Amino acid sequence: MNEMPLLTIVIKRNFWNALAAFTSAIGASLIYLVITQPLYQASSRLILDERRTSVSELGRNLATAPVPGNANPIATQAELVTSKQLVVRALSLIQNVDRGQKPLPTADEVKGRLQVKILPATNILEVIYQNPDPRMAAEVVNAIARATVQESGESIRREAFSVRQFIESQIPQQEGKLQRAEAEESRFKASRGVISIDTQSNSLVASLTTIEDQERTLIAQLQEAQLKNERLQRVTGVDGVESAYISSRVGQDEELKDLRRRLSEMDAQVADKRSRLADQNPEMLDLIQKRDETRTLYRQKLARVNPRNQTVSGTMASDDLSRNLMAAYIAGEVDRSAMSEKLKALENQRKSLQASIAQLPAVQRILNTLVRRRETEAETLKLLKNNLEQARIAEAQLVSNVRIVGLATPPSTPNSPKPRSILLLGAAFGFISAIGIVLLGEMLRNTVGSAREAETQLKLPILSTLPRLSPELDREFLESFLDNSIAIEPYRKLLKTLESNSDNNLKAIILSSIVDEEGKSNVAARLASVSAMLSRRTLLIDADLSRPLQQNFFDLPAIPGLIDVVSGSIPLLSAVKSTGIPNLEILTTGQWLKRPAQVLEAAAMSTLLTEAKNMYDLVIIDAAAVSLYSDVMTLSQQTNGLVLVVRPEITPKAIALQTIAELKGCGTKILGMVINETPDAVRIHNSNLMHELVNPLETITENHSERPLERT
């Protein structure tokens, strides 16, 4: 059959839950409209008018004082309007009016229904209040507007009062600061001898200029004297004042003059004698001895004149010219020395003046600091006195920066609840809830979905999708089933698909399911019947030893059967039973065993399957659920592969994925899956099989004729 789109399938699967969620939301909206009390809304408007301020500058500053940070003044005022303190004040204004016996709302009730909106691009606040009584709504919102205006004016006056008290306490302190600044400036001027920095600077610069002029003149005179003395020194040959003085004294001493003359004569005689006589001549030796005695006497005389034994350099001042030159040299050196001392004194005076001038900027800075401090303290004192007068004016005025621009009137129609909005909101919420229910249902669903979903989820090819039929199955039902061409067509398609996938060499297949209750035994019985109807010699083996159903479908005894053949008690041909449907025979489970797993693992089981494939055109094995037993892994080695029967909304998805992965991991060939809508009918028709399955030991003890003793 044609499958619906996945979205349609998902919606159909969760339709009733989604419808319940949507209906609940609509119902809740209707109930809310019925039980909710209508509220009337009234509004008044206020404007933050910064132009209506005090005549004093301080009053204007208090009225338009900036809020901390980057806050918006109009937004701050909006928060103040909704404060509990202002609401209580507004209610007190209403209480002062004769209102009869009608009770007032509490401050908390008013705050809960009070709103303040800022009109875009304006300084206007819209105060909105809702109340079941329209007149009360208008009275409350108008009272809040009046209380806001009063609070704003009183706030300005309170701030002015605080400012006045503060300024009055600061003026005496500021006067003391001014007096201290003036005293400190006077002490500094007195310590530095400063009356005026400019006057002192001009005086120092003038003195420095005079000294520099004198210094330049003296340097020129000193250079001239130095040049003159150097010339006299070259002429006289002396090297200093003392040397010139000694030379002058030595040249003027008569005794020394006579001794120098005598030494000159003796030196001449010695030279003359030496040219004629030998050095050892007595006359020569006598003359040399006299010369030496005269020289010794000269030195003694010279030591009296020159007691410090200074070297006498240059010409002896023995004549008037020499004496005059020596005297001029000595006088010049004395004058030059005096000028040098005077020059040093001038240099010291110049350096002192320069140092004083260099200190003027530092003195100026300190003095400027002291002057600025004095001027600042004086200006501060003047400002405080001015602000004091302005604070007194602002405190005396009745000014508010908020005024009313529109009062409320009692509304005639309620503002809430709004039926249309509530119903639309309920419908939207119901729609979202329905979608959430669908999504949650899909998230929590742990079973395989429709055929299309199963193929996507399990990643196995779908061999056929079988129609939903009656789960009750017996020989009569099978006969009527085979007569219905429409009902058998999906099974015929399944056989053709299996043959095509097996290259027309289909000999043996296993039919199993993930868990019980998926209808795999029902599918095996119907598929075997269709195969036999199509002239194939078919053998149906009931290998589900834990839950055998084929003997019930065909109303056949369980014994003898598969267990008897594998145990060697009876050959295969003697164990198979005719079903009454041409070409279809069945091998039931046989006698009961405590350990049925050993039957399928026995080597005789492999021999049985080989023999059956040789004797029949198609062998169909009904095996136990693959997630509960490992029978399929054993039997698949002797067959073409496994066909999984999947029942939508029944097969657990997680277990199916894990089981398929395990089957593929151990090499089991999975031919595909069959989507089945028909469950197995769990009902025992004959013999005492159910009793035997539930309590086999009791059955053996009672020695029923239909159940031989257990074989191992």
Side-chain angles (χ1 to χ4, degrees):
M1 63 177 180
N2 296 328
E3 295 186 52
M4 293 180 292
L6 289 179
L7 180 60
T8 306
I9 295 172
V10 170
I11 294 176
K12 182 179 179 181
R13 186 163 49 226
N14 299 278
F15 175 74
W16 293 109
N17 292 334
L19 181 61
F22 182 80
T23 306
S24 299
I26 295 297
S29 300
L30 293 174
I31 294 173
Y32 174 79
L33 291 175
V34 172
I35 65 175
T36 302
Q37 186 180 23
L39 295 176
Y40 293 85
Q41 177 175 297
S43 64
S44 62
R45 292 188 176 185
L46 301 171
I47 185 171
L48 186 64
D49 192 357
E50 298 180 353
R51 293 175 299 176
R52 297 188 65 206
T53 54
S54 173
V55 296
S56 67
E57 183 179 357
L58 179 61
R60 290 190 294 272
N61 293 335
L62 293 175
T64 61
V67 293
N70 296 323
N72 187 354
I74 189 69
T76 304
Q77 187 64 48
E79 290 297 324
L80 293 176
V81 171
T82 59
S83 64
K84 186 173 182 179
Q85 177 182 356
L86 193 139
V87 171
V88 171
R89 180 169 187 164
L91 293 177
S92 66
L93 294 177
I94 299 177
Q95 288 177 347
N96 294 331
V97 180
D98 185 10
R99 303 185 58 262
Q101 300 298 324
K102 189 175 294 185
L104 284 174
T106 64
D108 292 333
E109 290 175 349
V110 173
K111 277 182 60 64
R113 295 175 178 174
L114 182 64
Q115 298 180 16
V116 178
K117 294 182 180 179
I118 303 174
L119 298 186
T122 67
N123 286 343
I124 297 177
L125 297 176
E126 185 176 11
V127 185
I128 303 171
Y129 175 67
Q130 294 179 342
N131 192 278
D133 182 359
R135 184 177 178 184
M136 177 64 68
E139 289 181 359
V140 170
V141 79
N142 290 336
I144 290 176
R146 290 193 296 270
T148 302
V149 175
Q150 293 177 7
E151 180 66 25
S152 174
E154 291 180 1
S155 175
I156 294 175
R157 287 193 295 275
R158 285 195 299 269
E159 292 182 10
F161 174 74
S162 300
V163 170
R164 179 178 60 79
Q165 286 187 324
F166 174 76
I167 294 175
E168 287 176 347
S169 65
Q170 292 297 311
I171 287 178
Q173 300 179 16
Q174 189 60 36
E175 289 175 345
K177 291 181 180 179
L178 178 59
Q179 293 174 359
R180 288 191 293 272
E182 291 173 345
E184 187 173 356
E185 181 183 356
S186 299
R187 285 195 299 270
F188 180 78
K189 288 182 177 180
S191 63
R192 295 301 180 96
V194 177
I195 298 176
S196 172
I197 292 294
D198 294 336
T199 303
Q200 186 174 7
S201 176
N202 294 334
S203 176
L204 290 175
V205 170
S207 300
L208 179 61
T209 302
T210 301
I211 289 176
E212 287 177 346
D213 292 340
Q214 294 177 0
E215 189 175 11
R216 284 192 294 271
T217 302
L218 191 58
I219 289 173
Q221 294 175 355
L222 183 61
Q223 290 176 350
E224 183 180 356
Q226 180 71 25
L227 180 61
K228 180 179 179 180
N229 289 345
E230 287 176 357
R231 291 176 180 175
L232 289 174
Q233 189 176 8
R234 285 196 299 270
V235 171
T236 58
V238 296
D239 56 0
V241 175
E242 293 184 358
S243 176
Y245 175 72
I246 296 300
S247 297
S248 178
R249 286 192 61 188
V250 170
Q252 293 178 4
D253 190 288
E254 295 297 334
E255 188 175 0
L256 288 177
K257 286 181 181 181
D258 182 61
L259 289 176
R260 283 196 300 275
R261 181 182 57 74
R262 290 170 56 187
L263 283 174
S264 296
E265 292 176 355
M266 287 182 180
D267 287 336
Q269 291 176 5
V270 169
D272 180 63
K273 296 285 186 182
R274 184 171 289 166
S275 62
R276 293 183 290 104
L277 299 176
D279 291 337
Q280 300 300 324
N281 188 284
E283 185 179 352
M284 185 69 177
L285 292 174
D286 181 60
L287 182 60
I288 291 173
Q289 182 179 0
K290 289 180 179 179
R291 187 192 64 180
D292 292 338
E293 290 175 354
T294 303
R295 182 173 294 170
T296 300
L297 180 61
Y298 178 78
R299 289 175 179 170
Q300 291 175 355
K301 295 289 185 179
L302 183 60
R304 288 197 302 270
V305 176
N306 184 14
R308 289 185 291 181
N309 198 24
Q310 293 183 351
T311 302
V312 179
S313 60
T315 305
M316 296 296 178
S318 55
D319 54 2
D320 292 337
L321 179 59
S322 296
R323 286 195 297 272
N324 292 334
L325 290 175
M326 287 296 181
Y329 174 75
I330 292 172
E333 281 297 314
V334 171
D335 291 340
R336 186 186 63 80
S337 178
M339 285 187 291
S340 296
E341 292 297 329
K342 186 177 181 180
L343 181 61
K344 289 180 181 180
L346 290 175
E347 288 178 353
N348 291 334
Q349 291 181 12
R350 176 176 54 80
K351 290 179 180 179
S352 176
L353 290 174
Q354 288 175 343
S356 298
I357 293 173
Q359 291 177 357
L360 283 178
V363 174
Q364 180 71 44
R365 286 194 297 271
I366 297 174
L367 184 59
N368 289 342
T369 301
L370 295 175
V371 170
R372 283 195 300 270
R373 179 180 174 186
R374 173 180 56 77
E375 292 175 349
T376 301
E377 300 298 345
E379 288 294 330
T380 303
L381 180 60
K382 181 180 179 181
L383 180 62
L384 286 174
K385 292 180 178 180
N386 184 36
N387 287 341
L388 178 60
E389 295 301 322
Q390 294 184 19
R392 289 171 178 168
I393 296 173
E395 186 179 359
Q397 284 185 309
L398 297 176
V399 178
S400 173
N401 63 344
V402 178
R403 62 186 176 91
I404 300 174
V405 294
L407 290 174
T409 57
S412 58
T413 57
N415 181 68
S416 66
K418 298 179 180 179
R420 184 176 179 180
S421 300
I422 296 299
L423 289 176
L424 288 176
L425 184 62
F429 180 75
F431 182 74
I432 295 173
S433 300
I435 294 176
I437 289 294
V438 171
L439 295 177
L440 182 62
E442 290 301 304
M443 291 175 60
L444 297 178
R445 190 171 62 84
N446 58 359
T447 58
V448 176
S450 64
R452 182 179 297 180
E453 292 175 304
E455 187 174 18
T456 303
Q457 293 168 351
L458 302 184
K459 295 180 176 58
L460 290 176
I462 297 177
L463 302 176
S464 181
T465 301
L466 305 180
R468 183 176 183 85
L469 302 173
S470 173
E472 299 293 336
L473 191 63
D474 54 22
R475 192 155 42 198
E476 294 180 1
F477 273 104
L478 285 173
E479 289 291 345
S480 62
F481 165 71
L482 294 175
D483 292 337
N484 190 340
S485 61
I486 297 177
I488 67 172
E489 188 59 31
Y491 292 90
R492 181 169 171 268
K493 176 185 176 183
L494 175 59
L495 282 173
K496 292 298 183 181
T497 302
L498 291 173
E499 287 179 350
S500 176
N501 293 343
S502 302
D503 297 329
N504 295 320
N505 189 27
L506 185 66
K507 296 297 293 181
I509 61 172
I510 304 172
L511 264 76
S512 184
S513 59
I514 301 298
V515 294
D516 293 332
E517 303 297 335
E518 294 190 71
K520 51 95 178 173
S521 297
N522 195 306
V523 173
R526 294 179 189 271
L527 183 63
S529 301
V530 173
S531 175
M533 185 191 72
L534 298 177
S535 302
R536 291 182 178 86
R537 295 182 68 249
T538 305
L539 174 63
L540 175 59
I541 300 176
D542 193 350
D544 190 351
L545 304 182
S546 62
R547 192 172 176 270
L549 294 178
Q550 297 300 334
Q551 62 265 25
N552 302 332
F553 295 158
F554 293 94
D555 197 16
L556 296 172
I559 302 172
L562 176 63
I563 297 175
D564 302 283
V565 175
V566 174
S567 64
S569 301
I570 188 173
L572 175 62
L573 290 178
S574 300
V576 297
K577 304 172 182 65
S578 177
T579 62
I581 298 175
N583 297 324
L584 177 60
E585 294 180 342
I586 185 171
L587 180 61
T588 56
T589 55
Q591 67 175 336
W592 180 84
L593 285 178
K594 287 184 179 180
R595 301 172 182 174
Q598 68 185 20
V599 175
L600 302 180
E601 295 289 343
M605 184 65 192
S606 178
T607 304
L608 183 152
L609 291 176
T610 302
E611 184 180 356
K613 289 189 289 185
N614 292 331
M615 294 174 58
Y616 296 91
D617 296 330
L618 179 61
V619 178
I620 299 176
I621 303 172
D622 180 9
V626 292
S627 67
L628 304 176
Y629 303 96
S630 303
D631 300 349
V632 170
M633 298 180 184
T634 303
L635 297 174
S636 64
Q637 301 174 4
Q638 302 295 325
T639 63
N640 291 90
L642 168 66
V643 176
L644 273 177
V645 177
V646 175
R647 186 178 173 192
E649 309 302 335
I650 298 297
T651 302
K653 182 170 59 177
I655 298 176
L657 290 172
Q658 181 180 358
T659 303
I660 291 171
E662 292 174 353
L663 290 173
K664 291 181 178 179
C666 67
T668 301
K669 183 178 180 181
I670 303 176
L671 301 176
M673 59 181 174
V674 174
I675 304 300
N676 177 45
E677 297 283 352
T678 306
D680 289 330
V682 183
R683 184 165 60 88
I684 307 299
H685 293 286
N686 64 351
S687 73
N688 292 319
L689 181 59
M690 178 60 75
H691 179 69
E692 294 171 0
L693 290 175
V694 174
N695 198 349
L697 293 179
E698 182 181 347
T699 305
I700 295 174
T701 304
E702 294 175 358
N703 195 16
H704 287 279
S705 59
E706 292 184 1
R707 179 71 65 177
L709 292 176
E710 175 188 357
R711 297 175 184 268
T712 59

